[in-house]
Amino acid sequence: MSRYTPGSVPDRLAHNMYEVDEGNPHIEVHQDIARATGTGRLLVKVCPAHVYSEEPDGTISVEYAACLECGTCLAVAAPGALTWHYPASAMGIVFREG
Ligand code: SF4
């Protein structure tokens, strides 16, 4: 009888595939509101895929192609600070392990 032993989280995530909808981001940060409410820095902290990063001028950059579609950013963003929707059909992440 074999026993399944999962790898590390980064190893398991590496099995996923991404169908990137080039030029059609599914995430937009509304910079003024994000800055005023502190949402920008919160997004940087909570995203497990490091989609968000803070530039030296305080602008929040978005690397939407890496999104895991977990919804965490939506749960913490102040109203109006973030527009997020699922990528178009058949686009986005393709999970290989759960
Ligand atoms: S849905 Fe999850 S992975 Fe995607 S940007 Fe938001 S927190 Fe990051």
Side-chain angles (χ1 to χ4, degrees):
M1 182 168 134
S2 67
R3 181 178 168 154
Y4 173 71
T5 305
S8 69
V9 170
D11 286 346
R12 295 174 69 193
L13 287 173
H15 291 286
N16 295 330
M17 295 177 57
Y18 296 85
E19 297 291 342
V20 179
D21 197 356
E22 298 287 352
N24 190 22
H26 67 285
I27 304 170
E28 181 181 0
V29 173
H30 303 288
Q31 301 291 338
D32 291 346
I33 299 173
R35 185 172 296 153
T37 59
T39 292
R41 289 189 173 152
L42 202 50
L43 295 174
V44 174
K45 286 182 183 171
V46 303
C47 177
H50 306 293
V51 165
Y52 303 99
S53 57
E54 185 176 9
E55 301 298 331
D57 67 355
T59 300
I60 303 300
S61 295
V62 181
E63 191 63 48
Y64 71 94
C67 180
L68 299 170
E69 300 173 26
C70 68
T72 304
C73 54
L74 273 178
V76 302
L82 182 70
T83 297
W84 190 103
H85 57 80
Y86 283 106
S89 180
M91 305 303 284
I93 191 164
V94 179
F95 288 104
R96 296 295 186 178
E97 288 197 44

